[in-house]
Every structure is written in C-alpha cells, then in structure tokens.
Amino acid sequence: MYQFVFHVNFRTSHAMSRKILPFAHSLRCLRHFSTIGRENRRVVVTGVGCVSPVGVSVDTAWTNILSGQCGVVKLTDPAYEKLPSRVAAQIPREEFDLSKVFTKSELKSMSPAIVYSLVAAKEALTSSQWTPTEQEAQNRTGVSVGIGMVDFVDICEANDALRQGYNRVSPFFVPRILPNMAAGQISIKYGFRGPNHAVSTACATGAHAIGDGFRFIQRNEADVMVCGAGEASISPLAFAGFCRLRALSTAFNDDPQSASRPFDAKRDGFVMGEGAAILILEELEHAKSRNAPILGEILGYGCSGDASHLTSPREDGLGAFLAMQRALEDAQLLPEDISYINAHATSTPIGDAIECRAISRLFGDHASKLAVSSTKGAHGHLLGSAGNLEALFTLLACRDGQLPPTINLSSTSDDMKHLNFVANRSQSWPSVRRRIALKNAFGFGGTNACLCLAEFR
C-alpha cells in the first residue's frame, strides 16, 4: 500500500526523534504545497509524429500495430553475411525518400537519427498546430530530444577518411555524432528558445526525454516541449558489438518476422530497429487557450537505477519496480488505478522475465487484471528511440480504447501465465473508468524510466 508522506525509519533515541519529527513534518508540508503547484500545471499531449519500421506516419504506424503487421526484414547486404544475427526492423525505404525532404547539403550535416527526428517533429508540430512565430511563444517552447547511440557508420567513414589525410575528414563529422544535435537542429529550425535539452540514457533515452520535458512544463520553465528521440544504429559494427554481448536474436535469420517475440518461450534476443518519435507536450490551459487537439495526458514520471550490472537488470527486478512505483507516486495513484502496461520487454530471455517479476511484485493480486503488451514484436527494439515510440502507442491506446498486441507470442513460461499479454490480436480497452497506463523503458547501465499516461478527461 502506498503512503505519500515522509517516513522516519531510524532506530534512534527519544531525544533524537524530537529533532527528526519536525523535519519530517516540514517535508510533508513541502510535498503538499509542491503538489498543489503541480496540479495547476497539468501536462497534455497535443501532437505526435513518427518515422518507424511499421510506418512513416502516426496513422499508418498505429493501424499496422493494431493489425499485427511486422516491420522486421532479413539483411541482405554482404557485410552481414558472417554475423550471427541478420535481421532488423528497418524503415520502409519505398515510403521514405529523404532526397525529397532535404537537400544534399542538409543531409551532409546531419546523421540519419537527426533526420528522422526532424521529420517526426514536423509531423508532430503540424498535428499540434503549433509553429509559433511570436518571440514570447518561441521563448516558452523547448526541446527535449535525445539519441541513444552514436552513428558507427559516421565514425568508421571518418576514420577511413583520416587515413587518407586530415583534410578528408568532413567538417560536419562532430555535429553529426553529437547526441544533442537532434534537439539542436529542431530548436534552430523552429526558433524554439525554451529549454534545449538532450538525453542519452541507452534504451531509456526517449522515455527520459519525455519525462524531463514533462517536468520542465510542470515547473513552469516552458509551456510547450518537443520531446522524444531518434535512432539509426543498424550497421555491421553495431551488430557485431551486440552479437558479442549475445543480445541479438540469431535463431530466426530465415524467418525474420518471427524473430522479435517478447515474453514468448522461444525468445532468444532482441531485433534492432530504427526511427524516431516525437510528442508535443503542453500545459493544459495553454492548449485550451488556442483550441489545440488534446490526445491524452501525462500524469507522472519515475526514474531509478539498478546499481547492479553493465548490461543485465537485477534479477529481482528492483530497478523496474522502483521506476514504476515512483511514477505512480508522482501521479498520486494506486496500483489498482492502472489497467495497462506497455512493457519494455525486448525479447531477451532474462530481461522479459525480470520485468514480469517486477510487475507482479508491485501490483500483487491486481496483476492478473492488468493487460501487459510489448509492441517490439512488430517494430523491433529502436534502442534510444524505443521508449518514445512506445509511449506514443500507449497514448493512442488510452485515447482509442484499443490495446496493441504482443505478436509472435505462442507460449509463456509458468511464472508468466497469470498475465494478459494481449497475445497476437489487439483487445478492446473499455472506458469503465479513466484509461490509465504505464510505459516502461530500461537501458544498459541500469537506468530505468516509467511514464504514467492517460486518456484526457
């Protein structure tokens, strides 16, 4: 059971307790007044955009997710022939011609992850009807967009160029690989002079970026935040590195659409994906004042650290547990208020089981009443851009009352059978009460994020 007050949990003398208890009371008061302030700064989502393996627009991607379509393909480039994993979730090239969107000189100055972020940002800002030209509005609009990994192709090509001579290295090499340049390019393009923030926390990047943007608005540092992440890490070197970690799926090279299978008993590793997703976060009264479309609301945000291992989560799931617990506390909700969790579940044998363990521990008997799904079966694992793309789908699930399925799910181990994984087909999500969900995202280094999202009421 949750208690939202400061706990004094020290073995101490009566004299010491007399000193501690007034301090505890002051913290309760501070918590109370800070909560009042935050209630006056509700944060809603007014626009969304994406470039993904299941579609290069939000409408296409959402339709394909609900219908169980899969964007995983076999890699045919000879550079992958000798690698253990040869499948990836790629953006459909026939639907996405960059030369029609950017000039050659623009493409020289930006990595693919930056390009994807700009395209997604344009769709999101257009759907939000927010492209201000007035200085004050631009001053109150910020950007929180990250990139999880440096583009290894850029580094390899720059190294090859250096061997031919210093002057052969592109002057855009450094701007192309800096993780904050997606945020920088968006800020420059639209003149946004609010917080210019970049996150790079491995596979939790996009979720952290949204959560940080949420807090900027709560704390009145901005009225509008452009939030999300981009990722373009599909390359032979990246594949070799992840294969050496034994993180990628290797058993389905000849059946790529079956390779990403969260929670399934035959899961053997994740499938790398690419793309970007952007959410426009906005203070509620600001959105109402301009009659902006409101797609949903962000209620809370929680972070934690595993403090355990470079690449593996704690076996007891404590990090995931704490992130979800803190998101609920931030939203001032009880576990029973949640009816759906969009899981991080990447299709790895260890990670999926640990996340289920954390969910069961936090939600107790209520876990059997939850719907839990992972859309990574359809679009693979977008690394730094996973949490934001999946937050987008979670938001649309809250809005539309449709739960996205976990595809490629045939059977689960005994310790997972009590959970409803929305196997293979979408399910209706009735609005008996307000639809509220959690979105989990975890990264190497033991970094964890959880967002609490809801339909707008």
Side-chain angles (χ1 to χ4, degrees), residues 129-301:
Q129 302 168 23
W130 184 249
T131 51
T133 56
E134 301 83 3
Q135 181 171 321
E136 182 56 27
Q138 290 177 326
N139 290 348
R140 296 286 296 174
T141 302
V143 184
S144 177
V145 176
I147 294 173
M149 277 180 46
V150 172
D151 188 344
F152 290 171
V153 173
D154 275 342
I155 292 175
C156 291
E157 290 179 350
N159 186 61
D160 290 342
L162 180 59
R163 290 175 178 173
Q164 299 175 45
Y166 154 78
N167 290 328
R168 302 298 296 272
V169 176
S170 168
F172 297 113
F173 168 61
V174 171
R176 283 175 64 97
I177 66 170
L178 290 177
N180 74 311
M181 277 300 171
Q185 290 277 11
I186 293 169
S187 172
I188 292 166
K189 181 176 178 63
Y190 296 100
F192 296 153
R193 290 181 290 271
N196 186 335
H197 181 61
V199 180
S200 188
T201 50
C203 302
T205 294
H208 277 135
I210 294 169
D212 291 351
F214 165 68
R215 286 183 175 166
F216 282 133
I217 295 175
Q218 275 193 327
R219 286 157 174 71
N220 201 21
E221 295 179 46
D223 294 323
V224 181
M225 290 294 301
V226 181
C227 301
E231 196 76 273
S233 297
I234 298 174
S235 70
L237 181 56
F239 264 62
F242 279 109
C243 282
R244 290 290 290 159
L245 285 172
R246 298 183 179 180
L248 297 184
S249 172
T250 61
F252 297 90
N253 288 330
D254 295 323
D255 185 13
Q257 296 207 338
S258 300
S260 184
R261 41 197 322 112
F263 305 118
D264 188 75
K266 294 182 179 179
R267 66 189 186 276
D268 74 318
F270 73 80
V271 172
M272 196 180 298
E274 61 181 358
I278 297 293
L279 280 65
I280 307 301
L281 275 52
E282 189 165 351
E283 192 273 326
L284 175 59
E285 297 306 318
H286 187 276
K288 284 182 174 180
S289 70
R290 64 183 190 87
N291 296 315
I294 297 177
L295 307 178
E297 184 172 2
I298 300 182
L299 302 180
Y301 169 44

Side-chain angles (χ1 to χ4, degrees), residues 13 17 32 37 51 83 93 97 111 226 264 361 386 400 407 453-454:
S13 65
S17 68
H32 172 70
V51 176
L83 296 178
R93 297 297 187 262
D97 186 352
S111 69
V226 181
D264 188 75
R361 177 182 174 187
D400 297 346
I407 68 170
L453 305 106

